[in-house]
Amino acid sequence: MDHTVRVLLLFVFNYLLAAVAETANEDYSALQGLMNGFLKKPDSWDGPDPCGGSWIGIKCNDSRITSITLPSMNLKGRLADDIGFLSELQDLDLSYNRGLTGPLPQKIGNLKKLSSLSLVGCNFTDPIPDTIGQLQQLVFLSLNSNSFSGRIPPSIGNLSNLSWLDLTDNQLEGPIPVSSGTTPGLDKLYKAQHFHLGMNKLSGQIPPQLFNSELTLIHVLLDQNQLSGNIPPTLGLVLDLEVVRFDGNSLSGSVPQSLKNLTNVQQLVLSNNKLSGPLPDLGEMKRLNYLDMSNNSFESSEFPRWFSYLENLVTLMMENTNLEGQIPDSLFNLASLQIVKLNDNKINGTLVVNGTTRGNQLRLVNLQRNSIEKFVPQDGLQNVTIILLDNHICRETGMASKPYCSTSSPAQPPSSISDIPQPSNCPEKCNEPDQIPSPKCICAYPYQGTLKSRVLLNFPDQYFAKLENGLMFSFRTYHLPVDSVSFSNPTENLFPGPLNLGLKVFPSGQEGFNHTGLSNIASLLSNLSYEFEPPELFGPLDFVAEDYGHYEENSKGRDSLSTAVIIGVAVCGSLLLVLALLAGVYAFRQKKRAERAIERTDPFRSWDTNERNSAIPQLKGARHFSFQELQKYTKNFSQDNEIGYGGYGKVYGGTLPNGQLIAIKRAQNVSLQRGLEFKAEIELLSRVHHKNLVSLVGFCFEPDEQMLVYEYVPNGTLKDSLSGKSGIRLDWTRRLKVALGAARGLAYLHELADPPIIHRDIKSNNILLDERLNAKVSDFGLSKPWADCEKDHMTTQVKGTLGYLDPEYYTSEHLTKKSDVYSFGVLMLELITARKPIERGQYIVKIVRKEIDKTKELYGLHGLVDPAIGLSLTLPSFEKFVDLTMNCLEESSTNRPTMTDVVREIESMLLQAGPNLTPESASTSVSFEDVSKGSHHPYSNESFDSSAVNSSTTIKGKC
Ligand SMILES: *[C@@H]1O[C@H](CO)[C@@H](O)[C@H](O)[C@H]1NC(C)=O
Ligand SMILES: *[C@@H]1O[C@H](CO)[C@@H](O)[C@H](O)[C@H]1NC(C)=O
Ligand SMILES: *[C@@H]1O[C@H](CO)[C@@H](O)[C@H](O)[C@H]1NC(C)=O
Ligand SMILES: *[C@@H]1O[C@H](CO)[C@@H](O)[C@H](O)[C@H]1NC(C)=O
């Protein structure tokens, strides 16, 4: 065919399709620019409409590109300046593309809406551009594992919304920037929780100004740099800190006394520096589980007794630290202790190692090169490696054959990491090269890489199951096509040390992943901020992927299409256009017809159009969904999407086109008569907005479908956590926080909602936990048609759940806010005991009332406290919490506190438990969302539909 004709056809083809394209022109040309920068464009980046759904990794809103996620796509080349034209972009994730190199363009600073920038494991070079400080919306910044050089731009200090700063493993040099005058600095990042700056070439002092009491940092990782000078005493002002790593620098001087104030620290690593002066007394850091101060120049000191006070200590590393004298026997009574490395000190006297401590976790005691004279082996040490080589005791004749005198170091980590469960009975090899049998013995091409822990791990092998469950849970939550995962031996394992664990992710249903599936998986793995339980053993994990070369794709790239096909496509293109036009007309007609039908049946219609009429309640945010939409978002209400059920019907999980996860309550028995009640519900629900209340996203009302669409709360119900079903363990502080969150939500309903709302069904089943384990109250204001009628529910006159019911309400049928307070008291008892309110005919309230003995420690309730809390720990404010609980459970409602009182009490408990456990706690009244009250509120009493009030006893004007 004539070349001109071909070009012409192509032109016509493009032109025709462009006419129906949805994507804004400026975004389309920006993507063209990006493609020019990449040596090879992503396979599916073809056609005129990136927003049309066929371009991989692109998400749009109103024809503007809002998200580009292309992790692990084997991209090569550079990131073009054109990125700066995508002015609506919120997410950019290009992680794990080792072939991406060159500088990060200055123009990145134009992306004013960017909230997440993830470029993990690429090969970007040159300094990080100063313009990065213009990204005012940025929350996540992960530039780790690249080749960035030069200084950390001080402008990062302008990112006032930043929560996560990860620059680990680059070539960054120079000082850590702090503010001065008008120059910004990292000390201004008040919302940041993570400073991960390890494995660079940062130098100079750690600026004292870097740390201040307004920071909410939990991780400060400055390890493996060239920092010098003292550890600034100001570090002690950052009271939220949980992990502090300064190891592998040239820090000198003594460890500041203020460190003692950091009572939340779980991992403290100061090893391999030049620290001097006396060893600090850190006995107050009760939550420490990993302490390493090895290889410093501390003054000689008597073996500290305070080690034995660290009840949570798992790993103690004090190699070469000038310790003298005898080890107190009490050290080995610590129940969690596993690893003790004390080699190269001057420890003398007799060694007594208790092998019969509760749980006996001990694996390794290395005392090589000390002066120990006597060792008294106790029972229960069979599994413990004890090393006394090069001590006096091993120099005596005949001692060389003793096992503890013959080992110099354990060949393997004491608990072999090769215990990793491997699939059995699988074919040794798969037929296709590169295929690997999955744990379920299916040959497939897994996505592979290494999981790295940024904090240190004590004994990963015990936790493989938890790690696996945690990962699979995340994959399922986001409906990713993963069949199973397996772990393999870490390549380098400086034991004990950071985890480097091989991870294989196997595809479900096919031999390889397709581009979309893999990119979603990689995107999840590149943002593993999910903290696995127990968090002290797995910090945030970083995933570094290998290239993936076995994409399963229906159609190969179109580059090699023949002329004939192109003509075909072009002809089809014009046909398509005609069809599209026809379809448009048809759709328009259908819409009109549907609208007329809706007018007859939809009591909500007026909400959309009549906004100017102030008598009609405004729906803040709650939107109307059609049945077809929700059908699409839930894969046709498939069984896979079912996440729960109740008397009203089933609950489905789903995903909105913008990626938001939703939970849909679908009513089982629907009748049009209930339309008004349903409307009242939605009006009620859509007016309450508080971070401790599950928020309503929208609703669906059709002749035979009534559905409420809520935000999806990922960590399930409090009940599932307390019963152990969800695998989430709540320690005491968390329980206090959960109680506080739930109390705040309820207080909001009681005091700030207008008119006030009485929940009537407070129970652990109705408290949900979000990804940060914050409590969210759900199921509030559900009137009759939506009432729960599971077996243990009363659905007649008095509503609520047996075991939580206020006895006064039960007898008088007179509902007040104090009935919720009573139920909340029962919930608090559940938090303490993890027992059901009524178990085997026994009522928890009665049991506790009987057992309480205020003269005893923990009020004599040891036997009732949930063992999962960890009784070896102190339970700060436990007695106060019990007092408050019993107060809520007073028989007479007038003697019970209000929910606002409860909030204040729990806040003060948390303040005492740890001064900074709840940074937001000091400002309850401000943290309530400001609800418009009184006359100017559109939902004033006059306009309130009286039939709705009657149909929903949840609402009471005066209580
Ligand atoms: C990173 O890019 C530089 C050149 O830009 C190249 O020399 C180097 O080999 C690349 N590193 C990797 C790991 O690909
Ligand atoms: C520890 O904190 C308290 C107040 O919380 C303060 O008074 C004290 O000075 C701090 N100690 C040090 C050594 O900074
Ligand atoms: C152990 O060392 C301490 C201090 O170096 C010394 O005072 C003590 O006498 C020594 N004990 C024995 C039994 O040698
Ligand atoms: C070992 O520890 C347990 C408790 O942890 C204690 O009961 C026992 O007496 C200890 N044994 C010795 C010999 O200290």
Side-chain angles (χ1 to χ4, degrees), residues 246-400:
F246 289 171
D247 49 303
N249 283 289
S250 303
L251 300 173
S252 56
S254 27
V255 177
Q257 289 292 319
S258 62
L259 232 62
K260 288 179 197 173
N261 276 8
L262 299 178
T263 49
N264 288 316
V265 168
Q266 294 163 20
Q267 306 202 347
L268 177 63
V269 190
L270 304 176
S271 52
N272 299 304
N273 277 295
K274 297 175 185 161
L275 297 170
S276 56
L279 206 59
D281 177 347
L282 304 177
E284 290 300 311
M285 290 185 158
K286 294 281 187 232
R287 298 179 70 182
L288 266 185
N289 66 62
Y290 193 108
L291 175 62
D292 186 354
M293 299 204 271
S294 301
N295 300 315
N296 278 294
S297 315
F298 295 120
E299 285 169 10
S300 295
S301 71
E302 192 69 17
F303 195 93
R305 296 218 144 252
W306 57 262
F307 290 154
S308 316
Y309 308 151
L310 303 174
E311 296 155 37
N312 291 299
L313 200 61
V314 177
T315 304
L316 176 63
M317 313 264 280
M318 294 292 293
E319 306 169 298
N320 187 18
T321 44
N322 276 323
L323 296 179
E324 293 181 351
Q326 183 160 324
I327 302 179
D329 303 352
S330 56
L331 179 67
F332 295 103
N333 290 348
L334 289 174
S336 316
L337 198 63
Q338 295 182 5
I339 308 287
V340 180
K341 283 190 162 191
L342 297 167
N343 43 289
D344 300 282
N345 283 296
K346 293 176 269 179
I347 296 165
N348 65 8
T350 304
L351 175 67
V352 181
V353 182
N354 189 349
T356 56
T357 50
R358 195 160 55 112
N360 185 24
Q361 306 269 327
L362 199 62
R363 313 278 183 111
L364 172 71
V365 180
N366 187 351
L367 281 161
Q368 201 178 352
R369 288 179 295 276
N370 277 287
S371 309
I372 289 174
E373 283 131 33
K374 200 167 165 221
F375 174 41
V376 188
Q378 307 266 315
D379 291 342
L381 294 179
Q382 303 82 338
N383 296 324
V384 186
T385 307
I386 293 179
I387 303 169
L388 289 172
L389 199 68
D390 303 315
N391 277 266
H392 294 324
I393 178 176
C394 289
R395 294 198 191 95
E396 287 166 24
T397 47
M399 295 302 282

Side-chain angles (χ1 to χ4, degrees), residues 134 146 169 195 282 286 325 423 466 473 536 556-557 587-588 711 790 796 801 856 925 934 939 949:
Q134 299 167 13
N146 278 283
D169 189 13
F195 280 176
L282 304 177
K286 294 281 187 232
K466 291 189 184 205
F473 179 83
E536 62 271 22
K556 289 281 166 205
F588 182 73
E711 66 172 317
E790 289 166 38
T796 48
T801 304
K856 292 190 181 158
S925 38
Y939 205 94
V949 179

Side-chain angles (χ1 to χ4, degrees), residues 645-647 763 765 787-795 800-802:
Y645 67 94
K763 54 179 174 177
N765 236 342
D788 245 341
C789 36
E790 289 166 38
K791 277 187 229 91
D792 56 345
H793 293 148
M794 302 265 302
T795 48
T801 304
L802 280 182

